[in-house]
Amino acid sequence: MPSSDDLGRRRSAVVARGVSSMIPSYVSSAAGGTLTDVDGREWVDFAAGIAVTNVGNSAPKVVAAIKQQVELFTHTCFMITPYEQYVAVCEELAALTPGDFEKRSALFNSGAEAVENAVKIARHATGRQAIVVFDHAYHGRTNLTMALTAKVMPYKQGFGPFAPEIYRVPMSYPFRDGGRSGAEAAAYAIGQIEKHVGASNVAAVLIEPVQGEGGFVVPAAGFLPALAAWSKQAGAVFIADEIQTGFCRTGSWFASEDEGVEPDLITTAKGIAGGLPLAAVTGRAEIMDAVHPGGLGGTYGGNPIACAAALASIETMRELDLAGAARHIESVARPRLEALAAKHPIVGEIRGRGAMLALELVVPGGIEPDAASTAAVAKAAHESGLLLLTCGTYGNVIRLLPPLVISDDELDRGLTLLEQAFSTL
Ligand SMILES: *Cc1c(COP(=O)(O)O)cnc(C)c1O
């Protein structure tokens, strides 16, 4: 087997520089909470491929479902000759997403594509154009979703012009907004929308219930419900982007449930199919069905193998109670992180929910971001065999996103490596 060094040399001759990797080790296999590289080195996985392998890599049921499907047929295109697996995934989405109303779903390949389609649907259903998004938001890298995403470097730098009719308003971010309550932060954001956009022009309010790439920002309680209520009153579509938070990550099937919010539309992707590319828009039948036949689709959207993997992933989440597993991960990790914060005043805040936890690093005593120490901790973690991601508008947030099937032993080892990484500062 070629070594990571060999592969790195081959890579630099043929792979575009714009597609970068966090670490230079090449994977040979992965399962549970552990990845193994081609050099035989093992890694504790606190990344889950960015919140994708919630059921673990090569989860047994997912592998079996893929094998079975791949021998039956690999692709027909649902827009030409449909198949049951697509319908069954939409049935699961209707049952699992919050809200006891008639729902419809449409399937796509990536999160960005789902977000793009949610915007298309909201505009079509309302006959309006304006889309309201938030500070620190991340919604993808396609042209429309770049415009919806907040952070310029690396996501938007040099890639304009961007799509019009997108308006950004302040997010509830208790650590950085002076501790505004959810109601206060919502009133402020709503005031901005009403003054700068006009309620009657808003097609959709699009928000991550807990922000992902933007820094695992958890809005103050009441912020999401207030925005959902305002959207309803304004005749705007309330869209929850649950691409990172969905499928048990925060300790519920969907993070919207944690605050009793029933979004009009929900976008999902990442955790839905155990690693296969699948995404969805799910929501109120009258909004989804506003679009004419043929208005939505794509060659590969709802590929049968990806659908089979999704059905097996969902079954695994149910059987193993992975929402409960996410809560268990929090109950183990949070006290360890709090002890870490007590020891290292550089940790300004610990936040997150379920198996979506973060530490924000600052100059002690204030809120000035410390991106350099964040990078140093991540580097020390990587050198010691812990796969750890950073995030945040200021690059100063360390995030924990383990597979939900991680064992207590792996979790303990990962947390110990994280503690050791902090000791190197
Ligand atoms: C990852 C992500 C996306 C984009 O998904 P891709 O599959 O990478 O296109 C959109 N929204 C959120 C919240 C995400 O975390």
Side-chain angles (χ1 to χ4, degrees), residues 50 109-115 138-142 145 149 208 210-213 241-245 267 269-270 278-279 399:
I50 320 185
N109 305 296
S110 68
E113 209 187 339
V115 173
Y138 182 85
H139 298 292
R141 293 176 180 264
T142 56
T145 59
T149 289
E208 298 153 86
V210 175
Q211 288 183 324
E213 309 304 301
D241 180 348
E242 294 243 21
I243 288 167
Q244 192 151 160
T245 50
T267 54
K270 293 197 165 93
L278 188 70
R399 53 173 159 171

Side-chain angles (χ1 to χ4, degrees), residues 141-235:
R141 293 176 180 264
T142 56
N143 185 264
L144 176 58
T145 59
M146 271 194 296
L148 299 166
T149 289
K151 194 173 175 176
V152 170
M153 195 63 192
Y155 306 122
K156 302 164 75 160
Q157 183 62 42
F159 298 137
F162 302 110
E165 284 304 312
I166 289 160
Y167 300 89
R168 193 170 308 284
V169 298
M171 175 70 181
S172 167
Y173 189 163
F175 185 64
R176 293 193 172 275
D177 68 7
R180 276 196 185 116
S181 71
E184 286 163 353
Y188 183 54
I190 287 165
Q192 300 273 301
I193 300 169
E194 288 178 342
K195 284 198 284 288
H196 299 162
V197 191
S200 64
N201 299 318
V202 178
V205 172
L206 167 64
I207 189 165
E208 298 153 86
V210 175
Q211 288 183 324
E213 309 304 301
F216 279 28
V217 177
V218 185
F223 185 71
L224 292 175
L227 287 168
W230 181 85
S231 301
K232 192 179 181 117
Q233 194 192 331

